[in-house]
Amino acid sequence: MKSLEASYEILGLQPGAGFEDVKKAFRRKALLYHPDVAGEGCSLQFQQINEAYAVLKRALIDRFVVNAPSLDSARAAAQARELFIKREIENILQEAQRQLSELIKTMGNDVEVGLSDVLLRLQSRHPVVRFVAACHLGKMKWDVSFMDELMGNISKIALDDVVLEPLLEFLGKAPAHFQSKVMAQIAKGAKDLEEEACIKLLYWGKRLRWETKTLLPFLTHDSNRVVAIALSMLSSADDVPLMVLMSLMERNDEEILVPLLKKMRTNRNLCYLRGRIRELARSHPSLGVRAWAKWLVGDANVG
């Protein structure tokens, strides 16, 4: 951990500076060395600035506690933290508003912004930058020349709630075959997406009639709801790999097992799964799962 002296020096302050001075110095330095502004080469300096700020915050909290002898120390510490959190939230909101105003000036309707600029901003770690870029993307008109650029950058963009809706709105303007290519690329990273994002993508997948290979990442998602929707979109389970089938069988969820068992009759890997299917037929608590498992193994007397 950095010393107090070193932390003050990094922020360009004299030892003993108060909270307001520390806050202003941190904001000034952070804006100057933020990687989105100064480039990745300043990442180390930016990290040091954050660490120095954290050390000084902790020291100021401790000072607050020491200087409040009439209060219980735990209560004093809690009050100090609450004060710091409140002030920091105010600072974040003010900074977000300032950056939002600046970005709107550069990315507003009266300024011509290319897709490459928008995609670059969508990769930013700053939520305000990504928000404005996403809004701009949603208003852009589709052009066939965008295809290669989208395919090359789409995997670098974090598809959270800020970005996904405008991106889908933008893709909705493209011809269906272009949509299919881009969405298939997006689907490759589905396992790491949030549940709601996956469900939105699957909605588009239904319209585009995704094939099994595009749906596979959704079949390994942690959310049973996502998996169930993806299963409902399969015409059969014939092309689902054995390892994925085995994983699905272990979920033990009726919402997943019933549609899966229905679609496995002609799967070439069925022989490797008969033991598990017989186990489901004998002991699964769901009547529907037991019935379909018995049907699948062709043994009405199982159990």
Side-chain angles (χ1 to χ4, degrees), residues 21-254:
D21 292 331
V22 170
K23 177 184 67 176
K24 290 177 182 178
F26 169 71
R27 289 177 60 192
R28 184 172 62 253
K29 291 276 188 178
L31 286 173
L32 184 62
Y33 288 99
H34 195 288
D36 285 339
V37 176
E40 292 297 329
C42 292
S43 296
L44 179 59
Q45 293 96 318
F46 186 67
Q47 181 181 347
Q48 291 175 338
I49 290 166
N50 278 297
E51 290 174 354
Y53 185 48
V55 169
L56 293 177
K57 278 200 305 180
R58 180 71 261 174
L60 289 168
I61 289 175
D62 292 342
R63 186 190 303 173
F64 182 95
V65 174
V66 170
N67 293 334
S70 61
L71 295 173
D72 174 78
S73 60
R75 181 183 167 200
Q79 288 183 348
R81 290 189 182 93
E82 184 178 350
L83 174 64
F84 272 88
I85 290 171
K86 181 179 178 181
R87 287 177 174 174
E88 288 211 341
I89 289 174
E90 291 174 352
N91 294 337
I92 290 170
L93 291 175
Q94 290 173 1
E95 181 61 22
Q97 186 175 12
R98 185 190 68 78
Q99 291 215 23
L100 185 60
S101 299
E102 291 182 1
L103 286 165
I104 287 174
K105 290 178 183 177
T106 61
M107 298 186 69
N109 292 328
D110 57 334
V111 179
E112 186 68 27
V113 179
L115 180 65
S116 57
D117 294 326
V118 174
L119 293 176
L120 182 62
R121 291 174 186 267
L122 287 175
Q123 298 169 38
S124 170
R125 287 176 290 183
H126 198 300
V128 179
V129 176
R130 298 176 69 243
F131 171 74
V132 177
C135 291
H136 193 85
L137 179 67
K139 294 186 291 184
M140 292 183 73
K141 294 181 179 179
W142 173 262
D143 189 282
V144 68
S145 63
F146 291 164
M147 189 62 194
D148 290 340
E149 204 161 9
L150 265 177
M151 292 295 287
N153 286 277
I154 200 69
S155 61
K156 304 174 186 176
I157 299 171
L159 297 178
D160 53 18
D161 289 338
V162 172
V163 172
L164 189 58
E165 287 284 358
L167 177 61
L168 293 177
E169 182 182 350
F170 175 62
L171 287 176
K173 303 169 188 176
H177 62 287
F178 284 121
Q179 291 184 38
S180 296
K181 288 183 179 179
V182 178
M183 295 295 281
Q185 182 72 14
I186 293 173
K188 292 179 181 178
K191 192 176 186 302
D192 299 320
L193 297 179
E194 296 292 331
E195 179 183 82
E196 289 303 318
C198 285
I199 291 172
K200 289 175 183 177
L201 290 175
L202 287 170
Y203 167 76
W204 280 76
K206 284 185 178 181
R207 292 177 50 202
L208 299 172
R209 298 182 180 180
W210 277 351
E211 298 177 351
T212 300
K213 63 180 180 180
T214 306
L215 291 168
L216 285 179
F218 296 93
L219 294 176
T220 57
H221 197 274
D222 291 337
S223 165
N224 285 346
R225 187 179 171 204
V226 169
V227 174
I229 295 172
L231 279 171
S232 72
M233 295 167 61
L234 291 175
S235 56
S236 75
D238 290 356
D239 296 325
V240 179
L242 176 60
M243 294 303 295
V244 175
L245 290 174
M246 293 174 67
S247 173
L248 292 173
M249 284 284 187
E250 294 303 320
R251 294 250 182 168
N252 220 35
D253 186 275
E254 180 182 18

